[in-house]
Amino acid sequence: MTQPTSQLDAWIAEERVIIDRLEQGPGPGLARPEQIAGKTGLEVMQAMLNGDIPYAAIAKTLDFTIVSVSKGVAVFQGTPLAQHLNPLGTIHGGWVATMLDSALGCSVHTMMPPGRAYTTAELSVNYVKGLTPKVQRVRAEGKVIHCGKQLATAEARLVGADGTLYAHATTTCLVFEIPQAR
């Protein structure tokens, strides 16, 4: 009889499969306009997760990756490392904020119809517990609260595999039509 896998082991195994798939694709970079033309935001995010189009270079730089997307939801997983420490010995707040911002923005992105985009207008982060490299993985799960023609709002939580909450955030995004090339 096999023993049940811990949540952390499951997260690491899932991450390994996703990173392998992403690395077999085009790697980090920007999608070409023709790769995303006519696609919904969810279709674009799914193509990225499938390794069909490039993923954001910041994820490689800061040691986190997208692990799942669905309508109104985006989940990222990160590895807090010594290279992310601030002078006080905890993970820099900017690393935490970037993970949360990624989950928030991508959750909003999943709601965009073809020809629409968004940009962050406001990001608010609440840090509730210090994070160190002793925590092997954290996940940021962003969920859309509202998505309209001009504004979208979302919330996210950064948690460890044991359920510990390290930070939570909200965003307000401006929604707009993508300008057509002339």
Side-chain angles (χ1 to χ4, degrees), residues 23-179:
E23 291 302 323
Q24 289 174 12
L30 296 173
R32 295 184 314 277
E34 65 270 14
Q35 290 178 301
I36 58 174
K39 288 185 170 58
T40 67
L42 180 57
E43 290 169 334
V44 169
M45 295 305 304
Q46 289 169 332
M48 186 182 300
L49 185 57
N50 290 336
D52 298 331
I53 63 174
Y55 63 90
I58 191 71
K60 189 164 188 102
T61 302
L62 294 182
D63 302 295
F64 64 82
T65 191
I66 190 165
V67 292
S68 70
V69 292
S70 58
K71 188 171 183 175
V73 179
V75 181
F76 284 77
Q77 182 166 298
T79 306
L81 299 170
Q83 65 205 40
H84 306 132
L85 291 173
N86 64 31
L88 301 175
T90 57
I91 298 300
H92 193 282
W95 187 86
V96 170
T98 302
M99 277 207 50
L100 288 163
D101 184 50
S102 297
L104 290 162
C106 289
S107 70
V108 169
H109 196 117
T110 68
M111 301 294 289
M112 295 294 105
R116 302 283 291 170
Y118 71 96
T119 190
T120 300
E122 180 270 339
L123 172 68
S124 176
V125 180
N126 294 282
Y127 303 91
V128 298
K129 184 172 176 66
L131 180 59
T132 70
K134 289 181 183 177
V135 178
Q136 293 182 37
R137 296 294 189 283
V138 288
R139 279 196 173 182
E141 180 174 341
K143 294 181 180 180
V144 170
I145 298 168
H146 166 79
C147 189
K149 286 189 167 196
Q150 295 180 323
L151 289 177
T153 58
E155 60 190 4
R157 296 167 48 93
L158 185 79
V159 298
D162 65 354
T164 299
L165 177 67
Y166 292 96
H168 56 95
T170 58
T171 192
T172 301
C173 296
L174 300 176
V175 178
F176 56 90
E177 278 194 47
I178 298 171

